Each structure stands twice: as structure tokens, then as C-alpha cells.
Amino acid sequence: MIRNTGYFLTIFFLAFISFAVTCSGTNKNKDVDRLSSVHEDVRIGLVVDMGSMEGKFVTSSISMALSDFYHVNNGYRTRVSVLSRDSHGDPLQALAAAMDLLQTEQVEALVGGQSLFEAKILAELGEKAKVPVFSSFQVPSSLSLTKYNYFIQATHDTSSEAKGIAALFSNFDWRTAVLIYEDDDDWRESIQPLVGHFQQNAIHIEYKAEFSVSSNEECIMKQLRKLKASGIRIFVAHISEQIANRLFPCARRLGMMEEGHAWILTARSMNNFQDTNYLAKEAMEGVIGFKSYIPLTEELHNFTLRWKGSLRLEVVTRMSVCSIWAHDIAWSLARAAEGEKLPGLPVYNLLEVITEGAKHKGLSGDIKFIDKKFISDKFEIVNMIGRGERSVGLWNSGSFISNRRRRLSSTNALETIIWPGGSTRIPKIRSLKEKRHGEKKKLRVLVPAGNIFPQILEVETDFKTGVTAATGYCIDVFETSILPFNYEVEYIPWPGANNYNNYNDLVYTLYSQKDKYDAAVGDITITDNRSLYVDFTLPFTDMGLAVVTAKDKSMWIIFKPLTLSLWLTIATFFILTGAIVWLIERHDNADFQGSCFQQIGTLLCFGFSTLVFAHRERLQHNMSRFVVIVWIFAVLILTSNYTATLTSVMTVQQIRGLKSNENIGFFSASIAANVVNENPTFQGPRYKGLKTADDFTKALRNGTISFIVDEVPYVKLFVAKHPSELEIVKTESVTNGFGFAFQKGSPLVQKVSREIAKLRRTEKLKAIENWWFQRQTTSATSEDTFHPLTVYTFRGLFMITGVSFAFALIVYLIPWNRDQRQVLLKHFQHYVSHRFARAIRPSPTTPNRQNENAVI
């Protein structure tokens, strides 16, 4: 509907532009001699989306190309000038911009067309206005564009590329493939030549998968699981970089980038890739792709360096193919403009001069126009390794060419290809016909339905078809583990999966009905009594129960990193520092003098201001400076440890003890209910059985319960839903985790256990868990228990500080004793002699009452 509306508006505008261009012909003839004093100006219109990377690349490339051209050909009479307009990615705005350039600026050529629809609009406009339109963008070679005589397109030869990919399939003996392409008109139309050549070479496209730019990771994962279940491991992808950046990390997560898989990217996909997403690049390791061949020359290297500098974009590492083609088109236009303006040639002959002119060399190689197309028919085959790529050969004119320029019809000309998984062995394919012959066995799997956590396990049955589909973390791990053994899984629902006893019944049903069921998959806890009836694989989840509580939001949390004794010790040293500095400085430093209250205030203020290094008093004695330096060093260590510990208090899960008056919640009739009643670790508190996760949330918020006890996978998922409110404070390894149950003696037990161990070792198991639980939750054990800092922790620091303070006092008091010893001795002698004299000889002015009494 949108496309039809666009065409309607196009026709509406074209009706006016035809008239406008005709009327402007008179003005154009009047201005045909618009010459400056030296050069004649030839105006070219550029219509691109200036906000897109592709638009910025092409604009910069054309501007620099013309500057270089006229630097080399300074004697030319003409000068091509480029007038740019922004299409904002909208075909109708591109049309309006092109009309403006034709009417007001009277341009003699247009460059633009970033999509097939936009290219058709500009081509129609150029046809009406008799103005050539050039497109350096990778617009597919559509039959609808061949009718336009004034449209010149720079593109790669899609037919030659399709032959090369088909030849690759034939040489590797691949007869079946999965085709992945972008859900867009441009991409759908450009994939048709490849589909045609596959049909001609008897290569069967087993599945077709469409992805749009708006597809999120969940949608991509869902589609990839279907492709994975098909058993086909050869994929051809015709997608943009935006989709590839999401597709390949998802494929790696599902194990579709491992040994035995092959991925081939088309030239349109590879030509525009930039090294901007390193994670996606790493996920693409082992992919091979066709890419328009651009010879590596010194001219290209020098131009690329200057071009990257003009863009000032750090994420750009190399020129795109479109930018190189735009450079060559700009040079062709400049040459044609000079030829067009030669005496005796009409003004509108620019198109003929370009298409019929002599061949010349550009950055992309020899520039040649065939049927009004600038064709690139040589392709480089590259192999993605790490974050880069390596060339393994070329494809041209129906044959493979080695990098040593040996031409062969088979892939023997190619260098060794590193396939996904790091293998050099060519992947093999299993067809549906082979599966029908019984090579793929059926595995009948019981899955418990009705799980309250759909991320763990969700079971849905289509009542029309009777087919049961299962998704979730458990299913993802199971399908990844069973994939190497080529089984077709049939899921059979088991009702009532919210009761511990029902799971016992599920295990017993698997044991008693061996002719109906082969395995049971889900959140089935491994227990000793269940192991009597079935064989379990290794656990694929963390073992044990976890305790969850609401996060502590106390307003006094800032005091928790240090114990009370340490706080008091630090305060004492602050005061001691001020006292020692005051004692040393008070005789000679006016800042430490004054009244008694002023000196006390200065003492305390100076000591505590060292905490933020904000003391303003100037020190005059070296010993006081030494004291301050030592204490500031100690303060720096104390504050660093305080900051780190406070951070751990707020981020690391803090274990709280279970008090006898606190209530603990758990799912009614779950395995946790049995464990908490039997294990001494959980004895004492009162327990409340709850039915849903919402009940837990409400109970924790209103204080009805203080803790939640359940198996670790459930708890992780529960905490992931409320990360700002809840935390895991303790785990106890009293249960054995979830495992897959098989019939007694089943050989799959050891095989699947081995795959689970491999997934755990390669951290793919963790990646699957993070995908389903949405975020990684940290499980704190008893080793993660928070302990505040104590005086004992810093006893060495306080010892060094105290010794330093004592040393400073001793050094200060030694010269004081030397200077003041004589003065004190004289004062003491004078005092003693005075008191002794008074005792022996009384003062004459003082009456002697004793003598008087004696005389009387």
C-alpha cells in the first residue's frame, strides 16, 4: 500500500516536473555560457541520506575525488561542482530534493538512489528531464531499471556471484541449504539470481528464513531454533550488517557456529561491513563471504588514509565498496564534463560521453560501462578469522583463482578455509531424505506443564494439530546437549508441574511406562529416591537451596564498614594529631595561639581537617610537618579501605543470621518444604508456604516473611525480576540441582552428561542461563559474608603512626630541655633557697607570736 502510494505521488510530481524542466530549457540556454573568468562550471546534484554512514561515506568520497582529479588535471576548462541535498532516507523527500536541484540549480546530472524504490523514482525523473542519474549504492540489478536510458548503476554482477556460490556448493558436495535473507524489497529482489542458479544446479533450499531490521533477539532466537531443529547446517545469509550484528551472536549461543556448520555471506552483505561491532565479528569466525574485488594499490591506500581523516569517525576502519565506486563515478563525470563541453557537441550529450568514452583506471580497477552499468564482475572470497578476515581466493569468469593467480574450475584453487569451530574439515550435510530412511531417531520426552516460571520451562500444546512445543532454560540446555546425537524430539506434556509429589509421579511414570517414554526434561531435582527408578545426567544448574531477603535500606549504612572500636580509635588519633601539632607550634606560630577556647578549637579543627586535607594553618616546624605527613598517609589508607568496604556493603550480598522469631517462606509442596524441615541449618524459624511469586513479593514487602528459601535456579530468576529490592544472602548445598531423567541403562545418560560438562567448561551453559534469566545474579555463599573493618586489621598502621608521633615528640623535647634546663634549675634553686631562708630566719616585719607567748 505504501509503495503504491509512493508511485502515485511520483507520477503526480513528475507531471509537474516535465513541464517545469521544459520551461527551464530557455533559461538553461541563456545560461549555457555561464563562465567564470577561468573555468566553466558543470553542476552535479547529490541526493543522499546525510544522516546515514553510507551517505557520509559517498559525500566525502566524491568531494575528495573531484579535488584530486582537478589537482592532476589542472589545465581542464571545466570544473564539476557538487550540490548536495539531504533525502533523510525518504524516497519522496529524495524526489523533492532532486526536483529542486533540477529547477533551481539546473544540474546536469544526479547522483543518488540508496534503495530500489528511490532509484526507480530518480530514474523516472531523469528519464523525463533527459538528465543522467548515477547510483553508486548497492541497489540490486532489477529488470525494472533496464527500461531507463538515463540511469547508470554501479553494482556487482549478481549473476556471476550466484554462479560462484553455486559452484562452491557443487565442489563441496552440498545439495541442501538454508537461505536467510532480509525482509525488504531490495534484499528479496537481489536474492532471486541466487535462487535461480540453485535450482539450475539441483541445490535444494530446505528452509527460507526472513529477518527484519526490527527483529529483536528473542525473535531471532526463535527462528534459529527452528533452523537448528531442521538438522541442516549449511546457511547462506543475505542480510545487512545491522541484522548480522544480532544474528551471529545468537547463532553462537545456540551452538550453530561450531564444527560441522558452514555460513556463506553474499557480496551485498560483505561489501558494507565495517569493523564496528567486535563482539559480532568474533561470533562470525569461520564464515566465508563473497566480496567485490578491489585491488590493493598504493593510490587506494593513500586515498583511504585521507578519506578517514576527513570523516573524523574513529569507528571507520576502511572504505566501503560504495565509497570506492563513488570515487570512480566522480572521475568519470569529470572526464565526461570536459568532453561534453568541447565545441560542436550538444549540452545533453554527457551520458553518451560517459558510456562511450575510453576506458580508464580507477580505485576499483579498470572502469568499464556495459549496458549503462558500471559492473564489478570479479569477487574476492574471504574467510572471517577473529575480528578480521583473510582472502582465500577469487572468483571470476566462471572459475576460481588462487591468490597466486592460478585459475581452476574447482575449489582446489582456494587456500585452506577455517570453518566455524576452528576446523579445516569441510562440513557435511544431512538431507531430509536421509532422515526419512530412519537415520534420525525419535526421542519421546515427558515435560512437566504448568510451571510458574516460564523462563525455566513453558509448555504449549496446539489443540488443532496436537503438537506440543516446549521452551525455556531447561529445554534450551537439553536440545543443545542432544544435538550431536541426531535425535528428533517429541515432547509429551505432563500436567501438574507445581507440586513436589507430582514430580515424583512423573519420574515413576517414566520408569513404569518404558514403551511410551524415553526421557523426562524440566526442572526435575535429582534426589536419592528418584534415582532408584531412573538414571539422571549431571546437574545442569547450581546445586542447593538459596535464601533471599529484602535489601537492607538502613539510613545508618554509612557506619557499617567500621566497628565502633575502630571509629573511636580513628577519632582519638585525629585529636592526638591536633594536640601534638599544637604542642610543637604554639610557642612560635600565631595560628595556634590565643585564648584557651581558641587554642582548643584550633587543636580539634586542625586534627579533623586532615581527613579532607583542608587544614589552613601554616606549619613552621619540621617535626609538626612530619607528624601531619605520617597521619595523612594513614588517613589515605583508612579512607580507601572505608570506600571499598562501603561499596561491598551496598553491592555484595550480605548474609544475615536467621532469628528464631523470623518467618521464612517457600513454595508449598516443593522440595524446599521437605528440606527445611529435615536440615538442621534451617531449624528454629517459622515457615510459611506460599503459592506464587507475587505472594513472595508482597510478603517480603509487608514484613510477613523475612526470607525466602528455594532451589537456586528459582531464586536466581526471582531475584533477577526484582534486582533493586532483593538479594541472595546464603546458599546451602543440600540438594543436587536439576538433571535430565532417562530410562535405567540408557546410553544417552553418559553422552548427555558429557555434553553438559562440555557446555559448563566452555561457559556456554552460563550464557544460556544469562539469556533466559535476562541478567546475571550473584549468589553469595558463606565466604561472601561481609565483615566490618576492625582495629586489629589496621594494628600495624596505628603502630607506625603512634611510633612516629612519639619520635616527633622526643625530637622536639630534646632541644627544649637543653635550652630550658638551666632556667628551670635556677628557678628551682631560687625557690628552694627562698623557702629554706624563710624557715631559718623569719622576716623582721613579721611578728613572732610564738616568742611573744613565751615571754608572756
Side-chain angles (χ1 to χ4, degrees):
M1 182 66 185
I2 295 175
R3 183 167 59 183
N4 293 336
T5 304
Y7 278 119
F8 174 78
L9 292 174
T10 302
I11 296 172
F12 178 79
F13 279 121
L14 291 177
F16 286 94
I17 191 57
S18 299
F19 175 76
V21 172
T22 303
C23 293
S24 66
T26 305
N27 295 331
K28 186 172 181 179
N29 291 333
K30 290 180 181 180
D31 296 336
V32 71
D33 296 325
R34 56 180 190 278
L35 299 172
S36 63
S37 58
V38 180
H39 302 120
E40 185 171 355
D41 186 26
V42 178
R43 298 184 176 186
I44 302 298
L46 176 63
V47 182
V48 293
D49 180 8
M50 299 295 185
S52 66
M53 296 291 284
E54 199 174 41
K56 293 175 183 177
F57 291 172
V58 169
T59 302
S60 176
S61 182
I62 290 177
S63 175
M64 290 181 59
L66 291 175
S67 176
D68 291 351
F69 180 84
Y70 290 115
H71 179 74
V72 175
N73 303 286
N74 192 37
Y76 276 24
R77 297 173 57 250
T78 56
R79 288 293 184 271
V80 172
S81 61
V82 179
L83 304 174
S84 302
R85 295 290 186 273
D86 193 353
S87 68
H88 300 284
D90 185 356
L92 294 183
Q93 291 198 39
L95 173 62
M99 291 172 60
D100 175 67
L101 288 169
L102 288 171
Q103 288 180 329
T104 61
E105 304 296 343
Q106 298 178 359
V107 297
E108 299 184 27
L110 290 171
V111 178
Q114 289 181 253
S115 66
L116 181 59
F117 186 31
E118 189 174 316
K120 289 178 180 178
I121 291 178
L122 296 182
E124 187 73 30
L125 180 61
E127 197 74 13
K128 296 292 183 182
K130 308 298 182 186
V131 172
V133 176
F134 297 85
S135 175
S136 68
F137 304 93
Q138 295 194 78
V139 175
S141 300
S142 174
L143 293 175
S144 59
L145 293 174
T146 57
K147 64 180 181 180
Y148 299 111
N149 296 321
Y150 285 83
F151 183 74
I152 299 179
Q153 182 182 12
T155 184
H156 61 269
D157 190 343
T158 54
S159 178
S160 176
E161 178 198 12
K163 289 180 182 177
I165 296 176
L168 202 69
F169 267 70
S170 298
N171 281 276
F172 289 148
D173 197 24
W174 295 338
R175 293 298 172 187
T176 309
V178 173
L179 183 60
I180 299 174
Y181 58 92
E182 189 161 333
D183 186 13
D184 183 83
D185 288 344
D186 288 20
W187 294 89
R188 272 193 296 267
E189 186 157 349
S190 57
I191 199 65
Q192 294 309 312
L194 179 61
V195 174
H197 278 83
F198 273 9
Q199 293 175 350
Q200 294 174 14
N201 290 271
I203 299 172
H204 179 62
I205 299 176
E206 194 72 49
Y207 293 97
K208 293 182 181 180
E210 295 182 351
F211 294 97
S212 65
V213 177
S214 60
S215 298
N216 55 26
E217 286 192 5
E218 184 177 356
C219 178
I220 293 175
M221 291 287 283
K222 186 176 180 180
Q223 282 270 49
L224 288 178
R225 286 192 187 93
K226 293 180 180 178
L227 300 181
K228 179 180 176 182
S230 70
I232 309 299
R233 298 187 177 188
I234 311 300
F235 303 91
V236 178
H238 185 61
I239 52 178
S240 63
E241 183 179 17
Q242 189 174 358
I243 294 179
N245 287 341
R246 298 196 297 269
L247 175 70
F248 285 101
C250 291
R252 182 170 66 173
R253 195 178 300 144
L254 291 176
M256 300 172 69
M257 300 299 297
E258 296 180 349
E259 184 178 352
H261 295 78
W263 290 79
I264 301 172
L265 283 171
T266 61
R268 189 175 180 193
S269 299
M270 292 294 301
N271 283 350
N272 283 327
F273 272 13
Q274 289 289 329
D275 299 330
T276 55
N277 192 322
Y278 294 130
L279 293 178
K281 279 284 187 180
E282 290 177 352
M284 292 173 63
E285 183 163 356
V287 173
I288 59 175
F290 278 62
K291 189 176 183 181
S292 294
Y293 176 67
I294 303 294
L296 297 178
T297 61
E298 186 177 354
E299 291 80 3
L300 175 62
H301 176 71
N302 294 334
F303 184 84
T304 302
L305 291 178
R306 293 187 293 112
W307 175 80
K308 286 166 57 178
S310 68
L311 287 174
R312 297 179 181 177
L313 296 174
E314 295 183 0
V315 297
V316 178
T317 58
R318 59 186 176 186
M319 287 188 72
S320 66
V321 173
C322 292
S323 306
I324 298 174
W325 288 345
H327 170 280
D328 293 349
I329 286 178
W331 274 56
S332 299
L333 281 169
R335 289 179 184 274
E338 182 71 13
E340 174 202 15
K341 295 301 179 181
L342 293 176
L345 289 176
V347 174
Y348 55 80
N349 207 30
L350 180 63
L351 180 64
E352 294 182 10
V353 174
I354 291 178
T355 56
E356 298 178 5
K359 296 180 181 178
H360 58 278
K361 198 172 186 65
L363 292 182
S364 62
D366 293 330
I367 299 176
K368 54 184 178 181
F369 291 90
I370 303 174
D371 295 331
K372 296 185 176 60
K373 289 181 182 178
F374 170 40
I375 292 292
S376 172
D377 56 359
K378 185 182 291 187
F379 297 90
E380 182 180 17
I381 303 173
V382 296
N383 189 193
M384 308 296 288
I385 302 295
R387 296 180 180 178
E389 57 188 41
R390 58 185 279 267
S391 176
V392 295
L394 302 175
W395 168 261
N396 186 32
S397 302
S399 60
F400 293 102
I401 307 173
S402 71
N403 289 331
R404 294 178 293 276
R405 296 301 184 266
R406 289 188 301 137
R407 186 183 294 270
L408 294 171
S409 59
S410 69
T411 53
N412 292 331
L414 302 180
E415 294 183 9
T416 302
I417 296 175
I418 308 299
W419 299 99
S423 173
T424 57
R425 290 182 298 180
I426 299 173
K428 299 299 180 183
I429 190 66
R430 296 176 183 271
S431 66
L432 281 178
K433 185 180 294 185
E434 291 172 337
K435 296 176 201 172
R436 293 191 189 104
H437 286 164
E439 186 172 329
K440 195 159 189 175
K441 303 175 184 177
K442 178 176 286 190
L443 195 66
R444 301 161 299 178
V445 176
L446 277 171
V447 284
N451 198 295
I452 62 172
F453 289 115
Q455 294 91 339
I456 297 286
L457 178 65
E458 185 175 19
V459 179
E460 294 181 353
T461 301
D462 188 337
F463 294 103
K464 294 182 179 179
T465 61
V467 177
T468 298
T471 58
Y473 169 64
C474 298
I475 299 299
D476 206 347
V477 175
F478 175 71
E479 291 182 349
T480 305
S481 303
I482 205 73
L483 180 65
F485 312 119
N486 195 32
Y487 277 90
E488 181 182 350
V489 180
E490 177 190 359
Y491 293 114
I492 304 170
W494 174 265
N498 54 359
N499 190 292
Y500 171 69
N501 293 324
N502 282 0
Y503 277 91
N504 289 337
D505 296 339
L506 168 68
V507 171
Y508 186 77
T509 301
L510 175 64
Y511 161 74
S512 60
Q513 302 185 32
K514 296 180 176 62
D515 57 331
K516 290 186 178 180
Y517 312 116
D518 302 309
V521 172
D523 49 340
I524 306 171
T525 304
I526 302 173
T527 63
D528 52 353
N529 63 318
R530 292 173 182 173
S531 299
L532 297 174
Y533 302 98
V534 295
D535 284 343
F536 282 100
T537 63
L538 287 176
F540 58 91
T541 63
D542 294 332
M543 296 187 292
L545 300 181
V547 180
V548 180
T549 187
K551 288 186 176 180
D552 186 2
K553 298 182 179 180
S554 171
M555 62 184 293
W556 306 113
I557 195 172
I558 59 172
F559 295 107
K560 288 189 175 183
L562 312 181
T563 60
L564 177 61
S565 60
L566 183 55
W567 280 115
L568 294 175
T569 304
I570 293 173
T572 302
F573 267 85
F574 274 123
I575 298 173
L576 184 60
T577 302
I580 294 175
V581 172
W582 169 81
L583 182 63
I584 297 173
E585 296 282 337
R586 67 186 180 89
H587 291 289
D588 305 319
N589 195 333
D591 290 340
F592 291 87
Q593 296 174 358
S595 66
C596 179
F597 289 107
Q598 287 178 337
Q599 292 186 55
I600 293 174
T602 301
L603 183 153
L604 296 175
C605 181
F606 181 87
F608 285 99
S609 64
T610 56
L611 176 63
V612 290
F613 319 116
H615 46 281
R616 60 181 180 82
E617 292 81 6
R618 296 178 61 85
L619 304 179
Q620 298 181 3
H621 290 266
N622 289 334
M623 284 299 101
S624 60
R625 295 191 185 105
F626 171 73
V627 168
V628 171
I629 289 174
V630 172
W631 177 239
I632 286 179
F633 171 72
V635 167
L636 181 63
I637 295 176
L638 290 169
T639 53
S640 300
N641 281 272
Y642 171 81
T643 303
T645 308
L646 181 61
T647 302
S648 70
V649 171
M650 293 182 173
T651 57
V652 178
Q653 315 304 337
Q654 178 182 352
I655 290 184
R656 293 164 49 189
L658 304 180
K659 300 177 182 178
S660 59
N661 60 345
E662 290 181 320
N663 294 328
I664 293 181
F666 53 83
F667 283 113
S668 300
S670 67
I671 192 171
N674 291 352
V675 172
V676 295
N677 291 323
E678 297 174 0
N679 194 285
T681 304
F682 300 100
Q683 293 301 312
R686 294 172 293 175
Y687 297 94
K688 291 183 176 291
L690 302 173
K691 294 182 179 180
T692 66
D694 291 337
D695 293 341
F696 278 137
T697 306
K698 294 176 183 177
L700 281 173
R701 287 173 179 169
N702 60 29
T704 305
I705 60 174
S706 302
F707 300 93
I708 297 173
V709 176
D710 212 325
E711 292 184 269
V712 173
Y714 299 124
V715 168
K716 281 188 174 182
L717 188 56
F718 186 57
V719 172
K721 289 184 177 180
H722 310 279
S724 62
E725 299 181 51
L726 306 178
E727 60 183 350
I728 300 175
V729 297
K730 191 174 184 180
T731 58
E732 288 289 339
S733 299
V734 293
T735 62
N736 300 309
F738 297 164
F740 303 130
F742 288 89
Q743 298 288 354
K744 280 284 187 180
S746 173
L748 282 176
V749 175
Q750 291 185 354
K751 295 180 180 179
V752 174
S753 295
R754 195 160 45 244
E755 290 298 314
I756 292 174
K758 182 180 177 182
L759 292 176
R760 194 181 297 277
R761 175 178 56 81
T762 58
E763 296 190 354
K764 292 180 181 178
L765 191 62
K766 190 66 178 177
I768 296 173
E769 178 185 312
N770 291 340
W771 164 254
W772 284 103
F773 293 0
Q774 296 300 316
R775 60 179 290 151
Q776 184 175 354
T777 55
T778 304
S779 176
T781 62
S782 57
E783 288 76 18
D784 299 323
T785 305
F786 162 72
H787 296 287
L789 301 174
T790 64
V791 177
Y792 186 81
T793 306
F794 297 101
R795 63 190 184 281
L797 179 66
F798 287 124
M799 184 180 299
I800 293 172
T801 306
V803 171
S804 301
F805 285 6
F807 172 76
L809 280 175
I810 293 172
V811 172
Y812 168 74
L813 291 175
I814 287 174
W816 183 85
N817 285 334
R818 187 188 307 120
D819 296 336
Q820 300 296 327
R821 186 165 28 185
Q822 296 298 329
V823 175
L824 288 175
L825 184 59
K826 288 181 180 180
H827 280 290
F828 178 74
Q829 290 176 349
H830 176 73
Y831 174 78
V832 171
S833 62
H834 177 71
R835 297 295 296 177
F836 182 76
R838 288 184 60 184
I840 297 177
R841 187 174 57 252
S843 176
T845 59
T846 305
N848 194 331
R849 294 184 177 274
Q850 239 180 353
N851 293 337
E852 289 177 1
N853 293 335
V855 173
I856 293 173

mmCIF file of all heavy atoms in Angstrom, residues 33 282 352 362-363 488 530 536 799:
data_model
loop_
_atom_site.group_PDB
_atom_site.id
_atom_site.type_symbol
_atom_site.label_atom_id
_atom_site.label_comp_id
_atom_site.label_asym_id
_atom_site.label_seq_id
_atom_site.Cartn_x
_atom_site.Cartn_y
_atom_site.Cartn_z
ATOM 1 N N ASP A 33 26.433 29.776 -21.298
ATOM 2 C CA ASP A 33 27.775 30.350 -21.303
ATOM 3 C C ASP A 33 28.152 30.902 -19.938
ATOM 4 O O ASP A 33 28.853 31.903 -19.825
ATOM 5 C CB ASP A 33 27.877 31.473 -22.347
ATOM 6 C CG ASP A 33 27.676 30.962 -23.755
ATOM 7 O OD1 ASP A 33 28.125 29.828 -24.001
ATOM 8 O OD2 ASP A 33 27.059 31.664 -24.573
ATOM 9 N N GLU A 282 33.621 -11.384 16.250
ATOM 10 C CA GLU A 282 34.148 -12.600 16.855
ATOM 11 C C GLU A 282 33.179 -13.768 16.693
ATOM 12 O O GLU A 282 33.592 -14.913 16.511
ATOM 13 C CB GLU A 282 34.433 -12.354 18.336
ATOM 14 C CG GLU A 282 35.624 -11.432 18.577
ATOM 15 C CD GLU A 282 35.844 -11.152 20.050
ATOM 16 O OE1 GLU A 282 34.987 -11.553 20.855
ATOM 17 O OE2 GLU A 282 36.868 -10.535 20.390
ATOM 18 N N GLU A 352 26.285 10.111 -23.219
ATOM 19 C CA GLU A 352 26.989 9.376 -24.264
ATOM 20 C C GLU A 352 28.500 9.462 -24.085
ATOM 21 O O GLU A 352 29.218 8.494 -24.342
ATOM 22 C CB GLU A 352 26.593 9.919 -25.636
ATOM 23 C CG GLU A 352 25.139 9.674 -25.985
ATOM 24 C CD GLU A 352 24.804 10.183 -27.385
ATOM 25 O OE1 GLU A 352 25.768 10.538 -28.114
ATOM 26 O OE2 GLU A 352 23.621 10.231 -27.717
ATOM 27 N N GLY A 362 40.527 3.305 -12.272
ATOM 28 C CA GLY A 362 40.111 3.966 -11.038
ATOM 29 C C GLY A 362 40.584 3.179 -9.836
ATOM 30 O O GLY A 362 41.355 2.219 -9.955
ATOM 31 N N LEU A 363 40.114 3.579 -8.672
ATOM 32 C CA LEU A 363 40.496 2.864 -7.454
ATOM 33 C C LEU A 363 39.982 1.429 -7.460
ATOM 34 O O LEU A 363 40.581 0.542 -6.858
ATOM 35 C CB LEU A 363 39.947 3.598 -6.218
ATOM 36 C CG LEU A 363 40.547 4.964 -5.901
ATOM 37 C CD1 LEU A 363 39.925 5.523 -4.632
ATOM 38 C CD2 LEU A 363 42.064 4.879 -5.743
ATOM 39 N N GLU A 488 15.305 -36.784 16.847
ATOM 40 C CA GLU A 488 14.114 -35.959 16.662
ATOM 41 C C GLU A 488 13.286 -36.054 17.951
ATOM 42 O O GLU A 488 12.836 -37.131 18.338
ATOM 43 C CB GLU A 488 13.296 -36.469 15.477
ATOM 44 C CG GLU A 488 12.043 -35.643 15.217
ATOM 45 C CD GLU A 488 11.221 -36.194 14.058
ATOM 46 O OE1 GLU A 488 11.734 -37.096 13.356
ATOM 47 O OE2 GLU A 488 10.096 -35.729 13.880
ATOM 48 N N ARG A 530 14.383 -40.764 43.769
ATOM 49 C CA ARG A 530 14.068 -40.782 42.335
ATOM 50 C C ARG A 530 15.117 -41.562 41.553
ATOM 51 O O ARG A 530 14.813 -42.164 40.510
ATOM 52 C CB ARG A 530 13.979 -39.347 41.806
ATOM 53 C CG ARG A 530 12.791 -38.569 42.358
ATOM 54 C CD ARG A 530 12.833 -37.105 41.955
ATOM 55 N NE ARG A 530 11.713 -36.363 42.545
ATOM 56 C CZ ARG A 530 11.573 -35.038 42.475
ATOM 57 N NH1 ARG A 530 12.476 -34.312 41.842
ATOM 58 N NH2 ARG A 530 10.529 -34.446 43.033
ATOM 59 N N PHE A 536 19.856 -40.246 36.156
ATOM 60 C CA PHE A 536 19.963 -38.803 35.927
ATOM 61 C C PHE A 536 21.304 -38.465 35.280
ATOM 62 O O PHE A 536 22.327 -39.120 35.529
ATOM 63 C CB PHE A 536 19.847 -38.031 37.249
ATOM 64 C CG PHE A 536 18.442 -37.900 37.762
ATOM 65 C CD1 PHE A 536 17.974 -38.732 38.769
ATOM 66 C CD2 PHE A 536 17.588 -36.943 37.233
ATOM 67 C CE1 PHE A 536 16.696 -38.614 39.253
ATOM 68 C CE2 PHE A 536 16.293 -36.823 37.710
ATOM 69 C CZ PHE A 536 15.844 -37.656 38.721
ATOM 70 N N MET A 799 50.298 1.348 64.769
ATOM 71 C CA MET A 799 51.572 1.211 65.458
ATOM 72 C C MET A 799 52.614 2.139 64.830
ATOM 73 O O MET A 799 53.355 2.851 65.523
ATOM 74 C CB MET A 799 52.041 -0.239 65.409
ATOM 75 C CG MET A 799 53.320 -0.520 66.191
ATOM 76 S SD MET A 799 53.810 -2.264 66.069
ATOM 77 C CE MET A 799 52.371 -3.051 66.804
#
